Amino acid sequence: GASAGAVGARFVSPHAATVSHNPTVAEMYTAVEGPANAGMAAPAVLAANARNHMGGHVEMAGVTAAAFDAQMYGTAPDNVSAPVAPAAVPGAIAHMPPPGAAVAAAGVQGSTEGLRAGGTKRKADGSAANPWFAKLASSQRALTAEQEDAQKRMIERRAAAQEAAKAAREAAREEEEGGGGNGSVDPADLPAASETSTWHGKDLVDYQGRSWLAPAGDAKRQAGEQCYVPKRLVHTYAGHKKGVNAVRFFPGSGHLLLSASMDGDVKIWDVMGNRRVMRTYSAHSAAVRDIQFGADGSAFVSAAYDRNVRLWDTETGAVTATFRNGKIPYCAVIHPDADKQNIVLTGMGDNKIYQWDTRTGNVEQEYDYHLAPVNSITFIDDNRRFVSSSDDKTLRVWDYGVPIQIKLIAEPGMMSMPSVALHPGKKWFCCQSLDNTIVTYGARDRFMKNNKKIFRGHNNAGYACQVSFSHDGKYVLSGDGEGRAYIWDFKTGRYVKNLKAHDGVCLGATWHPINTSTIATCGWGTKASPGTIKLWD
């Protein structure tokens, strides 16, 4: 019902959606009195009363954080009091205080008085105080000196931890920019970076005088041979002390397998014979991120987090060249043409692609358009052009030797693509996108995206899983963040099969260049069995 102060006033429900008459100001601001749950059925009354506290009805109120602390802990000054209502002006509309302001002020005054009285707060009508208030007031009294010291030490420890985290972030940023940070140690200066090579095989030459690097005479691909999906695990290579980041088959024959590990070593393994490690190449003081063979396999390049790119002689294990500019190399590739084996391209952490000449050791060209570190470099169009991917979520196409991009591929919603592979038919290239898809682009002049060839089903978000093709172009192969190797049909885009290859992430997956159903996978493994490489057929 309406308040008795408004004689003859019509009742206006505060919950009404519509009003059938034009109420006056007095009617709109008349206080509502009477039972809170009038007209409600018994179950509804019980549901509403479930919000009631034993010391009073609990209602929602807009109270600021300071007002809440003042009511809860009695921290308000003694001069806080309820707001004074303004004098009534005939015909004027009263300005309402913010929601909960009166309640907050009244509660502050009452709570401070209750605390000063030793926790015996009483209501205005003299009835007993809320039963929980005495216990709350006694528990919220002034802190002892030991508690204050403990609280002060906790605040100091938190501030020190924040300062240490800030200093670590600044040091990491300086190290990434090449400054090395204050007092930080450059991995390239560690003693583990000595250039050594260990031979594990029996003989460096066979009975005919051929090098151990030479493939068998019958290691040739048959024309028109069709590839098939592998079915079983053939062999597991173990020897790396930490996870393996990449694997590469020997070009042309595939009788050897090269692997790069986070322990700083590069190993080469036999595939066709006894399947043991043949040679270990040790020259990096940090994890090796990428490796690539040259055109004939006589040399390969390795890029590591010690900021060094090294060119190796595969047969002797000697380092023939080292490239360094103070930045972290994320990828490295030797030019695929046989007459340009002295050219090495590296994608660096300073957002640039450097073209090095191994004969002079100098930078011959810089490709500087990316806005973030470069993740991959892939040659296309008969090696006259190459595609680069970056953390700036773009693909850029370049003419070899010309530091001007000829195509920028950037779309809304496009993610970073850390791995790119050219289809054997040379018309398409596939990119491992970090939104759990593999997308396809044309490798000719227009470089258009093919929305009919998007491969889904694996989970690679956050990992630079390798993507590759079968040598007949029929299948697409990719690693997975959950340790699986996924295979799709390239023509139809349909999922074909997955192999549970590794514990943890399966980072590398590549198809054999000759065998129709042989693939190699690698992963980070676990602490119990790190750095495994598996051969499937």
Side-chain angles (χ1 to χ4, degrees), residues 244-525:
V244 182
N245 283 327
V247 287
R248 304 285 186 266
F249 278 112
F250 195 89
S253 59
H255 67 293
L256 297 172
L257 181 67
L258 194 68
S259 63
S261 173
M262 298 175 69
D263 59 10
D265 290 340
V266 178
K267 293 179 181 289
I268 193 165
W269 314 78
D270 181 51
V271 177
M272 302 297 188
N274 52 24
R275 292 173 179 155
R276 64 183 179 184
V277 61
M278 303 299 291
R279 185 180 285 278
T280 299
Y281 309 87
S282 303
H284 292 289
S285 59
V288 183
R289 177 179 170 87
D290 192 23
I291 48 174
Q292 289 291 344
F293 273 114
D296 57 358
S298 61
F300 70 89
V301 64
S302 61
Y305 286 103
D306 61 359
R307 297 189 177 88
N308 289 316
V309 178
R310 301 188 188 273
L311 184 67
W312 300 81
D313 186 294
T314 310
E315 182 178 2
T316 64
V319 177
T320 58
T322 299
F323 313 106
R324 176 183 172 88
N325 69 347
K327 309 300 179 183
I328 296 178
Y330 288 93
C331 60
V333 60
I334 303 175
H335 198 287
D337 286 347
D339 58 345
K340 295 185 179 65
Q341 292 299 289
N342 61 307
I343 300 298
V344 175
L345 274 72
T346 59
M348 310 297 286
D350 60 354
N351 315 339
K352 297 180 182 180
I353 300 172
Y354 291 90
Q355 179 178 315
W356 306 80
D357 192 331
T358 61
R359 298 170 298 188
T360 63
N362 298 328
V363 176
E364 300 296 330
Q365 191 63 269
E366 290 184 10
Y367 306 85
D368 183 13
Y369 273 78
H370 280 293
L371 305 176
V374 181
N375 289 324
S376 70
I377 300 172
T378 306
F379 279 89
I380 60 173
D381 198 8
D382 297 328
N383 304 329
R384 294 177 298 179
R385 296 170 174 170
F386 63 88
V387 179
S388 61
S389 65
S390 168
D391 283 343
D392 62 6
K393 302 179 182 180
T394 65
L395 294 173
R396 299 175 193 262
V397 185
W398 316 76
D399 278 325
Y400 168 72
V402 181
I404 305 296
Q405 65 182 21
I406 63 173
K407 179 71 173 182
L408 167 64
I409 303 175
E411 303 172 0
M414 188 170 171
M415 301 297 291
S416 177
M417 301 179 183
S419 177
V420 179
L422 179 65
H423 188 269
K426 312 295 184 183
K427 293 179 61 178
W428 309 96
F429 63 87
C430 282
C431 308
Q432 183 78 265
S433 179
L434 290 185
D435 58 354
N436 301 330
T437 62
I438 297 176
V439 295
T440 307
Y441 290 89
R444 299 301 181 182
D445 291 333
R446 299 188 64 187
F447 306 103
M448 297 296 292
K449 182 179 180 180
N450 190 340
N451 291 319
K452 295 182 179 179
K453 294 186 183 298
I454 299 179
F455 307 96
R456 298 181 174 89
H458 63 315
N459 182 11
N460 71 318
Y463 299 102
C465 298
Q466 180 185 357
V467 59
S468 63
F469 292 95
S470 60
H471 57 74
D472 64 348
K474 182 178 181 181
Y475 296 111
V476 181
L477 175 64
S478 170
D480 173 70
E482 298 176 349
R484 292 181 171 84
Y486 277 77
I487 302 175
W488 296 267
D489 189 297
F490 179 75
K491 184 177 181 180
T492 63
R494 295 178 179 175
Y495 159 80
V496 177
K497 188 176 183 179
N498 77 79
L499 304 169
K500 179 55 180 175
H502 299 274
D503 295 329
V505 59
C506 176
L507 206 61
T510 181
W511 211 287
H512 196 278
I514 293 180
N515 293 354
T516 57
S517 59
T518 301
I519 67 172
T521 62
C522 69
W524 289 347

Side-chain angles (χ1 to χ4, degrees), residues 72 78 80 116 119 132 140 154 173 189 192 212 252 326 347 395 407 410 412 431 480 520 526 530:
M72 188 71 179
D78 295 339
V80 175
R116 287 196 298 271
W132 49 268
Q140 298 295 338
M154 181 186 67
R173 189 183 307 110
D189 299 331
W212 67 273
L395 294 173
K407 179 71 173 182
C431 308
D480 173 70
T526 60

Side-chain angles (χ1 to χ4, degrees), residues 109-121:
Q109 186 178 14
S111 61
T112 53
E113 292 175 356
L115 287 176
R116 287 196 298 271
T120 57
K121 178 182 176 183

Side-chain angles (χ1 to χ4, degrees), residues 70-201:
Q71 294 182 62
M72 188 71 179
Y73 306 115
T75 57
D78 295 339
N79 58 356
V80 175
S81 60
V84 179
V89 178
I93 299 177
H95 294 281
M96 302 299 293
V103 177
V108 168
Q109 186 178 14
S111 61
T112 53
E113 292 175 356
L115 287 176
R116 287 196 298 271
T120 57
K121 178 182 176 183
R122 303 187 66 82
K123 297 183 181 179
D125 58 355
S127 60
N130 294 338
W132 49 268
F133 186 83
K135 182 179 180 181
L136 175 65
S138 61
S139 64
Q140 298 295 338
R141 286 182 180 139
L143 298 174
T144 64
E146 292 146 356
Q147 290 174 331
E148 288 180 353
D149 292 341
Q151 188 177 29
K152 184 177 180 180
R153 287 195 300 270
M154 181 186 67
I155 295 174
E156 290 176 352
R157 285 197 302 269
R158 185 178 300 173
Q162 292 176 351
E163 289 295 331
K166 182 179 179 181
R169 289 194 299 268
E170 292 177 354
R173 189 183 307 110
E174 291 178 1
E175 184 178 359
E176 178 68 20
E177 294 174 355
N182 296 328
S184 61
V185 179
D186 193 329
D189 299 331
L190 297 177
S194 58
E195 300 174 1
T196 60
S197 176
T198 305
W199 170 252
H200 304 283

